[in-house]
Amino acid sequence: MAKWLMKSEPHVYSWDDLVRDGETDWDGVRNNAARLHLRAMREGDEAFFYHSNADKAVVGIMRIAGAQKPDGPDGAWVKVPVQPVRKLPRPVTLAEIKAEPKLAAMELVRQSRLSVSPVREEEWALILEMSAGA
DNA sequence: GCCAACGTTGGC
DNA sequence: GCCAACGTTGGC
């Protein structure tokens, strides 16, 4: 199962909103690189929920809950259904991620504007460790 | 097909 | 509020 990271501004749609809704379609992505990642997602993949702007932190884990669907009338863009899995014990901030040399290759760091990006297994595991607190 | 201008995202 | 990094648009 692949791992991903998806960004949202918390004042627009937050982790708590997702928990309240139970499931939502991750839509509105209008960037080609992000679209390619959305298309590569499969049901059962997991993704970090990242709060951009105010928080700048990974706050939770969600699950891709089904197949991608067209987003918009012409079908050029796609959206995927996601469900909350669990909140992280503690948010892992962008500052912490940038301070960790093992995470320097993350797309989150390398291309900060990309709203949907892949996460390597070892990066995923390390962020979970950081959240659990060493 | 190149590139300057402009718009957007998101960190600081 | 500013600016860097990108993406897109449009003139040539």
Side-chain angles (χ1 to χ4, degrees), chain A residues 5 37 94 96-112 114 117-124 126-127:
Chain A
L5 181 145
H37 296 316
L94 180 63
E96 291 176 86
I97 290 171
K98 284 188 166 176
E100 172 51 65
K102 290 176 188 163
L103 298 176
M106 280 190 78
E107 300 306 311
L108 173 70
V109 176
R110 301 186 52 163
Q111 197 177 336
S112 66
L114 191 56
S117 62
V119 177
R120 295 168 187 83
E121 288 293 341
E122 60 271 26
E123 294 164 347
W124 181 274
L126 181 53
I127 287 171

Side-chain angles (χ1 to χ4, degrees), chain A residues 23-72:
Chain A
E23 175 171 329
T24 197
D25 283 336
W26 201 276
D27 61 6
V29 172
R30 294 294 182 271
N31 168 280
N32 191 55
R35 171 171 57 183
L36 291 174
H37 296 316
L38 283 180
R39 297 191 68 93
M41 289 180 183
R42 296 293 176 261
E43 182 172 359
D45 285 358
E46 288 185 316
F48 283 135
F49 193 122
Y50 176 87
H51 279 173
S52 60
N53 282 350
D55 282 11
K56 282 165 288 185
V58 176
V59 295
I61 296 172
M62 51 192 170
R63 175 183 178 276
I64 309 307
Q68 59 191 261
K69 302 173 247 186
D71 181 17

